[in-house]
Amino acid sequence: MKKIFTLFALAFTFSSFAQDVPSTPPNACYTGCTETQQRLLTEFETVGVLPDQSPAVYSGVCNHLGMYSPDVDHYSVVLLDQHQGKWTFGSIFSFFAPENDFKDWGLEKARAEISPYWKEHSTLITEDNTARAVVRYANGTPAYIYWMRQNPVTKELLYITYAGQVMISFCRLQQH
């Protein structure tokens, strides 16, 4: 029942900002977060700053609310890059991998492995000390929303994703 309620809450949230995506993640812990997820969200909201706009690769652990157990670690890699004068973003999630296979990726490897789709469709929007990218369905409704801030001390990327209407990801990624 809790999963059904979560799906309805996410569907309502997505439909309520179909055209106007907020600058920071709304109600990320609406249905309850683990301590790890709440700590990341609090850090995102209180100390996070706009990530450095220099090309960089980040990877690390993600935990999810929705279709996967929030206690299982998954992994993600993020490439922040410059393309034709625009600040762009690309990402890959790895679900149920035994370890972070992205941990040794540098810029060259990330640029080669991350789909060229991102260069054309993921120009980062900056507002309220946050970088975000929005991938939309053909009808204009957001399919995926990615929000990023950086811890200014540790240089970790604090990365929160609304994936469709079924999952919220909370990721703490190390800069390579």
Side-chain angles (χ1 to χ4, degrees):
M1 186 65 175
K2 186 175 181 178
K3 284 187 178 185
I4 292 172
F5 180 74
T6 300
L7 293 176
F8 282 126
L10 287 172
F12 175 75
T13 300
F14 269 81
S15 64
S16 68
F17 57 80
Q19 296 303 319
D20 299 314
V21 175
S23 61
T24 57
N27 303 319
C29 289
Y30 181 75
T31 61
C33 283
T34 65
E35 186 177 316
T36 299
Q37 292 165 334
Q38 186 60 59
R39 199 170 36 249
L40 186 139
L41 181 60
T42 299
E43 187 177 336
F44 184 96
E45 292 171 341
T46 60
V47 300
V49 297
L50 190 65
D52 183 12
Q53 293 190 25
S54 299
V57 178
Y58 302 83
S59 73
V61 173
C62 299
N63 300 100
H64 308 282
L65 287 178
M67 61 191 285
Y68 299 130
S69 168
D71 298 316
V72 174
D73 290 347
H74 302 278
Y75 300 96
S76 182
V77 63
V78 166
L79 170 64
L80 299 182
D81 209 354
Q82 297 289 331
H83 179 70
Q84 296 181 347
K86 297 177 183 177
W87 192 27
T88 62
F89 153 86
S91 183
I92 299 172
F93 280 92
S94 177
F95 297 98
F96 302 103
E99 63 182 38
N100 180 2
D101 293 330
F102 308 117
K103 67 181 178 282
D104 296 322
W105 283 23
L107 281 171
E108 186 176 317
K109 174 81 170 173
R111 286 173 174 154
E113 295 292 331
I114 292 177
S115 171
Y117 168 88
W118 293 106
K119 290 179 185 176
E120 301 301 323
H121 300 283
S122 67
T123 299
L124 285 167
I125 303 160
T126 59
E127 185 179 7
D128 293 337
N129 226 15
T130 306
R132 73 180 187 279
V134 181
V135 176
R136 296 181 184 274
Y137 292 114
N139 68 3
T141 303
Y144 300 95
I145 306 169
Y146 307 89
W147 288 275
M148 291 153 265
R149 285 186 177 172
Q150 189 170 33
N151 180 310
V153 175
T154 66
K155 301 301 181 194
E156 293 171 320
L157 191 69
L158 309 171
Y159 176 50
I160 299 173
T161 302
Y162 283 20
Q165 297 179 13
V166 297
M167 187 169 51
I168 300 174
S169 304
F170 297 80
C171 304
R172 181 177 300 275
L173 309 179
Q174 310 303 311
Q175 185 172 7
H176 296 199

